[in-house]
């Protein structure tokens, strides 16, 4: 995986502003867990400290002991530790050096951040045997397929009018978006609408500028992918939480049913014991008292028949119910 080439040509200068805004917002969405806020990826990773912190948050591990000195060598060593960690995850960092990041080389910095985003936010996305970029695109296509005026074929022009963003939100949370009242020719409104709803209701920071996206012939693909990947992870986490809650509910329901059955069994067993204790004296009396005449034998038989057809039958029906 090599994300450096995307920002090494002059033609990509037009997209640098979009990338800086999006990448900065993406980094802050993770750094906020540590109470850290950066102003711009263009400058705030030069010491290597925030870069290491970012990687520790998104990877869930501890990278290395930071050097606290202010000299250039300390900064270079910190950035090198971060880059070595990224490389250990199987990422190709050819062309990106610690010195360039410390010196504030914008193209190198954007290339580095894009590589990190690819590895930690996009690479592991998998949809129907498609992964990374292709998997994310397929996910967008499947989720937006039922929506009019939405045809997602790429991560630039397909999102310019904002309807694809609105459709993704509506598909998962129809209570948040009034999709039927949106117009394709009102791109800025659609984009801003989706961005504000996602931020307020889904805790997805605004990473794009609505006017900028709507007015750009071909928006920055990597900026769009970064923002869309946040939708994917937000809805995937929500679905996993919902599935986990459903599994817990099923377990609780089964436990409740088992407790009810146990209670019913205990009541039946208790009732049966009481009934047996009640009937034993009568049975013993029937066994001990011998009939002395034919009429008495007939009376005993009739009494037993009554017991079998009434008392015993009622007891059996009560047990079956």
């Amino acid at each position: 995986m090599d994300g450096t080439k995307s920002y090494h040509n002059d033609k990509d200068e037009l997209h640098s502003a979009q990338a800086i805004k999006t990448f900065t917002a993406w980094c802050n969405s993770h750094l906020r867990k540590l109470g850290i806020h950066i102003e711009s990826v263009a400058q705030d990773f030069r010491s290597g400290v925030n870069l290491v912190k970012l990687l520790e948050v998104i990877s869930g591990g501890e990278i290395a002991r930071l050097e606290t000195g202010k000299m250039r060598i300390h900064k270079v060593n910190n950035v090198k530790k971060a880059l070595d960690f990224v490389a250990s995850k199987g990422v190709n960092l050819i062309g990106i050096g610690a010195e360039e990041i410390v010196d504030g080389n914008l193209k190198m910095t954007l290339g580095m951040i894009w590589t990190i985003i690819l590895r930690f936010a996009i690479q592991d996305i998998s949809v129907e045997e498609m992964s990374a970029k292709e998997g994310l695109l397929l996910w967008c296509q499947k989720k937006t397929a039922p929506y009019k005026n939405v045809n997602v074929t790429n991560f630039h022009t397909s999102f310019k009018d904002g309807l694809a963003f609105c459709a993704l939100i509506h598909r998962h949370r129809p209570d948040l978006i009034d999709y039927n009242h949106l117009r394709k020719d009102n791109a800025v409104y659609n984009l801003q609408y989706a961005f504000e709803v996602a931020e307020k209701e889904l805790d997805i920071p605004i990473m794009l500028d609505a006017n900028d996206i709507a007015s750009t012939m071909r928006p920055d693909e990597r900026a769009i992918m970064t923002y869309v990947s946040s939708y994917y992870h937000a809805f995937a986490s929500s679905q996993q939480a919902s599935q986990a809650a459903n599994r817990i509910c099923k377990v609780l329901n089964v436990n409740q049913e088992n407790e009810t059955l146990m209670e019913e069994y205990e009541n039946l067993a208790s009732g049966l014991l009481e009934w047996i204790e009640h009937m034993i004296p009568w049975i013993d009396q029937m066994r001990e008292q011998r009939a002395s005449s034919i009429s008495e034998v007939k009376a005993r038989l009739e009494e037993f028949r009554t017991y079998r057809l009434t008392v015993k039958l009622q007891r059996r029906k009560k047990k079956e119910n």
Side-chain angles (χ1 to χ4, degrees):
M1 182 188 301
D2 184 0
T4 64
K5 61 182 180 181
S6 301
Y7 290 101
H8 283 188
N9 299 317
D10 290 338
K11 65 180 181 180
D12 291 315
E13 289 286 356
L14 293 174
H15 292 160
S16 293
Q18 291 179 358
I20 291 172
K21 177 179 176 63
T22 302
F23 291 0
T24 299
W26 183 86
C27 292
N28 278 327
S29 71
H30 295 283
L31 288 171
R32 64 183 177 178
K33 299 171 185 175
L34 299 177
I36 298 174
H37 178 85
I38 63 172
E39 294 300 324
S40 173
V41 293
Q43 296 295 326
D44 293 342
F45 286 135
R46 294 179 63 180
S47 71
V49 175
N50 288 332
L51 182 58
V52 169
K53 295 294 185 182
L54 172 66
L55 290 169
E56 288 180 339
V57 170
I58 61 180
S59 69
E62 186 173 347
I63 296 177
R65 186 182 182 87
L66 287 168
E67 297 187 15
T68 57
K70 302 297 183 180
M71 297 177 64
R72 175 182 169 80
I73 186 61
H74 299 133
K75 297 177 182 180
V76 170
N77 287 339
N78 286 336
V79 173
K80 189 176 185 304
K81 290 175 183 178
L83 296 181
D84 287 344
F85 174 78
V86 175
S88 72
K89 298 299 180 179
V91 179
N92 184 357
L93 288 171
I94 295 176
I96 298 180
E99 291 81 4
E100 286 82 6
I101 304 301
V102 173
D103 291 339
N105 185 308
L106 179 60
K107 293 177 182 178
M108 287 289 187
T109 300
L110 293 178
M112 176 191 67
I113 298 301
W114 172 237
T115 300
I116 291 172
I117 292 172
L118 272 178
R119 173 59 185 85
F120 292 99
I122 298 175
Q123 179 179 308
D124 293 335
I125 293 175
S126 179
V127 180
E128 295 184 2
E129 299 183 358
M130 304 292 284
S131 61
K133 176 182 177 180
E134 291 74 18
L136 183 60
L137 183 63
L138 179 59
W139 177 77
C140 292
Q141 292 170 339
K142 290 174 67 66
K143 295 300 182 181
T144 61
Y147 293 85
K148 63 180 181 180
N149 297 323
V150 178
N151 181 27
V152 178
T153 60
N154 54 57
F155 286 109
H156 38 81
T157 55
S158 294
F159 288 85
K160 268 177 58 90
D161 60 20
L163 291 180
F165 291 118
C166 291
L168 286 174
I169 297 174
H170 185 269
R171 183 64 183 271
H172 295 88
R173 289 289 305 275
D175 57 308
L176 299 181
I177 294 284
D178 187 1
Y179 188 85
N180 292 328
H181 286 79
L182 299 176
R183 301 199 323 270
K184 188 176 180 64
D185 60 358
N186 200 359
V188 174
Y189 172 83
N190 298 338
L191 289 163
Q192 196 62 38
Y193 183 33
F195 298 165
E196 290 177 356
V197 169
E199 180 181 46
K200 180 180 179 181
E201 303 293 343
L202 304 174
D203 199 29
I204 300 175
I206 296 177
M207 301 183 187
L208 303 168
D209 182 89
N211 287 290
D212 190 23
I213 298 299
S215 62
T216 303
M217 182 75 68
R218 179 186 167 115
D220 189 294
E221 181 181 54
R222 290 144 195 88
I224 299 292
M225 282 180 63
T226 300
Y227 185 56
V228 172
S229 72
S230 296
Y231 279 52
Y232 174 87
H233 290 296
F235 292 128
S237 298
S238 177
Q239 183 176 2
Q240 290 172 359
S242 177
Q243 291 174 344
N246 289 335
R247 286 195 292 268
I248 292 173
C249 287
K250 288 181 180 179
V251 171
L252 292 176
N253 288 336
V254 170
N255 288 340
Q256 188 174 6
E257 291 175 1
N258 289 338
E259 290 178 358
T260 300
L261 290 174
M262 289 176 64
E263 186 177 352
E264 291 178 356
Y265 172 79
E266 291 175 355
N267 291 334
L268 286 172
S270 178
L272 178 60
L273 289 174
E274 292 179 0
W275 180 77
I276 291 174
E277 291 178 359
H278 175 74
M279 295 304 297
I280 285 177
W282 178 80
I283 294 173
D284 289 342
Q285 183 181 4
M286 291 283 289
R287 187 171 54 231
E288 292 173 357
Q289 293 180 355
R290 297 183 178 181
S292 57
S293 63
I294 295 297
S295 59
E296 192 172 345
V297 170
K298 291 180 177 180
R300 293 284 180 87
L301 286 173
E302 184 63 29
E303 190 174 354
F304 179 74
R305 188 179 295 110
T306 300
Y307 157 74
R308 189 181 64 182
L309 296 177
T310 57
V311 179
K312 188 175 182 180
L313 183 61
Q314 290 174 358
R315 185 68 199 177
R316 182 181 299 170
K317 288 182 177 180
K318 183 177 180 181
K319 180 180 179 182
E320 291 175 350
N321 294 332

